Amino acid sequence: MSRDIRRLSVRKRNGEELSEDELRWIVEAYTAGEIDDAPMAAWLMAVCCAGMTDAETWVLTDAMARSGELLDLSGLSRPTVDKHSTGGVGDKVTLVAAPIAAACGACVAKMSGRGLGHTGGTIDKLEAIPGLQTAIEPQRFMRQAEEIGLVVAAQSDRLAPADGKIYALRDATGTVDSRPLIASSIMSKKIAAGAAAIILDVTVGSGAFMEHQDEARALAELMVGIGERAGRRTVALLTDMNEPLGRAVGNAIEVEEAVAVLGGGGPADTREVATAVAAWMLVMSGVERSIAGARETVDAAIDGGGALESLRSMVEAQGGDVGALDRPLLGHRPTARGEFEVRRSGVITRLDARKVGYAALASGAGRRRKGDSVDPAAGLRLLRKEGDEVASGDVIAEVGASSDRHLDDAVRELREAVTIGDEQPPSRQLVLGVVGAEEIG
Ligand code: URA
């Protein structure tokens, strides 16, 4: 076994399989600060280029999960379920699906991530709610899970700390879009958080880390396999991420949209994906037996107000200002505001999710460098989407930004994201498939 990260990077780059001891050592030593960022980044890049065997990915995941405490939620009074997305643009599904599932009788106790690459992160979005804390100690995590059935925390020194460090380094070094690194990052958090059932939302398309369905399915199968091996009931939905989900892309603005959907309004696509995920959360946790029955329960939780109430309870329990949920942009004001106008008439044939993600990043909603803070007020509101007719001069997006320079950069990126043509684009299905629970109807 080698304990030299440089030699391990070279061996990985050359396509060698690393041993269990070597992989566990890398995770432990990096978490403990004994490997610096630069050699670790080189190792991550070698993994991106050469990949990992399923056996290596399992060991990496297990080592990352065990870098902190492994929570045992089996003593809680409600059935536990977790949910995670592989990342997208405008993806506020957790903010909608988790409160719904909690309102319907499941206990959702989960760890989420921050923005990664061009995608947003649930923790950054939640932290846009004034006062809301996401650094939650394990005992408090368990207590909140029991008391209100809903808790969303960030990685901490005690929960999956290896993922916290590796995630931030991947974001800063362009080493995000790797199947084993995504699988180990997500599944280590899921295993550490302790829920008995796991729903994975594996996004596919230009705004996702997996652009093609076959790659996304392979990632879904890998993660479902890891979940099952860890003794968790695991299922993955493949969902479209070619166009941003909903109309809001940013932090406060996405919470605002999630609140609208929980209140029975908001964009139809956000509701469709979030309610599909919530229905699977109910079935996999055992609260409901069939997807059809779960869908009715989910709709009733939205219509009856229980789902929104559940989000409010979580915000309050985590120290957030519940009143902010009723204010536009949660009460934030962007430093600079602007509009994006189209320069020709026709139909929007393409609204490229990845490029919209770059525009949101440029506005100040994401990080350019490791350790940067995000601007809760920055982001985009898409007034028109694919398939909409536009006339030259129409405003199709409103932009809130951290400064005039950020605003100019965001508008420039948006221009790249939009294609206007003469014919309607083909319509897209949002939920493309299910991996791991084919027998459930
Ligand atoms: N979400 C995560 O938690 N990790 C990834 O690598 C990608 C999405």
Side-chain angles (χ1 to χ4, degrees):
M1 137 155 195
S2 169
R3 287 183 179 233
D4 180 340
I5 187 68
R6 289 162 305 176
R7 285 177 59 191
L8 291 170
S9 297
V10 172
R11 280 178 43 209
K12 178 42 64 196
R13 189 197 64 199
N14 292 343
E16 264 187 59
E17 183 169 20
L18 302 186
S19 72
E20 170 157 3
D21 287 347
E22 287 165 339
L23 290 166
R24 290 193 187 278
W25 173 76
I26 292 173
V27 171
E28 278 163 27
Y30 183 62
T31 310
E34 290 158 13
I35 297 177
D36 290 335
D37 281 354
M40 185 66 179
W43 182 76
L44 292 168
M45 188 56 88
V47 173
C48 284
C49 297
M52 275 187 159
T53 62
D54 288 359
E56 285 180 299
T57 308
W58 161 258
V59 172
L60 181 64
T61 308
D62 189 60
M64 287 167 67
R66 289 176 194 280
S67 64
E69 293 174 38
L70 297 181
L71 299 184
D72 177 4
L73 305 184
S74 62
L76 299 185
S77 51
R78 293 185 241 192
T80 55
V81 61
D82 198 339
K83 171 269 159 198
H84 208 93
S85 160
T86 55
V89 177
D91 178 352
K92 67 281 294 174
V93 170
T94 292
L95 300 174
V96 181
I100 295 174
C104 297
C107 170
V108 186
K110 75 180 252 63
M111 246 188 283
S112 287
R114 298 186 181 278
L116 193 60
H118 62 281
T119 69
T122 301
I123 293 298
D124 292 331
K125 293 169 202 180
L126 280 175
E127 287 179 351
I129 302 171
L132 188 135
Q133 296 154 19
T134 58
I136 301 179
E137 291 300 306
Q139 290 82 351
R140 192 172 142 213
F141 184 89
M142 305 272 283
R143 197 168 55 242
Q144 186 176 324
E146 179 61 20
E147 283 172 6
I148 64 167
L150 180 59
V151 51
V152 181
Q155 303 99 335
S156 66
D157 289 348
R158 292 178 64 185
L159 292 176
D163 182 55
K165 285 194 75 177
I166 295 172
Y167 192 92
L169 186 61
R170 286 169 60 214
D171 190 27
T173 56
T175 49
V176 172
D177 50 354
S178 144
R179 207 187 300 158
L181 295 181
I182 294 173
S184 55
S185 163
I186 292 178
M187 296 310 290
S188 63
K189 287 191 282 276
K190 304 302 93 181
I191 292 169
I198 301 168
I199 314 306
L200 301 164
D201 178 0
V202 179
T203 51
V204 191
S206 75
F209 294 121
M210 300 292 130
E211 289 206 33
H212 305 290
Q213 250 195 76
D214 52 347
E215 298 168 347
R217 187 170 285 277
L219 175 62
E221 285 168 357
L222 179 62
M223 290 195 291
V224 168
I226 293 171
E228 298 291 343
R229 182 163 174 181
R232 316 299 166 91
R233 293 189 298 285
T234 310
V235 72
L237 306 191
L238 303 183
T239 64
D240 183 78
M241 186 43 74
N242 280 295
E243 187 182 25
L245 190 64
R247 294 188 177 273
V249 184
N251 295 304
I253 197 167
E254 288 198 37
V255 178
E256 186 189 282
E257 184 171 289
V259 169
V261 174
L262 287 169
D269 59 348
T270 305
R271 177 166 173 142
E272 184 178 334
V273 175
T275 54
V277 168
W280 276 97
M281 290 170 83
L282 295 184
V283 169
M284 294 300 282
S285 61
V287 170
E288 288 286 342
R289 287 230 203 99
S290 70
I291 291 296
R295 283 191 166 279
E296 286 177 17
T297 308
V298 163
D299 287 341
I302 295 177
D303 298 342
L308 185 52
E309 208 35 58
S310 176
L311 178 70
R312 288 180 183 280
S313 308
M314 184 191 90
V315 169
E316 190 174 6
Q318 293 186 208
D321 173 6
V322 180
L325 298 180
D326 303 319
R327 291 180 212 124
L329 278 189
L330 310 174
H332 293 286
R333 280 162 186 262
T335 309
R337 285 182 197 265
E339 292 177 336
F340 172 73
E341 291 175 5
V342 289
R343 293 178 180 159
R344 63 159 284 196
S345 303
V347 178
I348 301 179
T349 52
R350 189 87 183 93
L351 187 55
D352 187 292
R354 181 170 293 243
K355 292 177 179 166
V356 174
Y358 290 144
L361 207 62
S363 75
R367 292 177 186 77
R368 286 179 197 272
R369 282 196 307 258
K370 194 176 165 202
D372 278 358
S373 55
V374 300
D375 180 350
L380 322 170
R381 192 183 306 281
L382 304 168
L383 306 177
R384 308 284 182 86
K385 292 193 69 182
E386 283 181 9
D388 288 346
E389 290 188 7
V390 290
S392 176
D394 279 356
V395 173
I396 68 158
E398 294 167 350
V399 184
S402 305
S403 67
D404 288 338
R405 184 180 57 79
H406 285 84
L407 181 61
D408 290 346
D409 289 349
V411 168
R412 196 171 323 109
E413 295 282 2
L414 265 180
R415 201 152 300 287
E416 298 289 313
V418 181
T419 310
I420 297 175
D422 299 317
E423 289 182 17
Q424 277 291 329
S427 63
R428 264 197 283 265
Q429 219 180 306
L430 287 172
V431 179
L432 304 163
V434 180
V435 173
E438 286 74 11
E439 72 278 10
I440 297 171

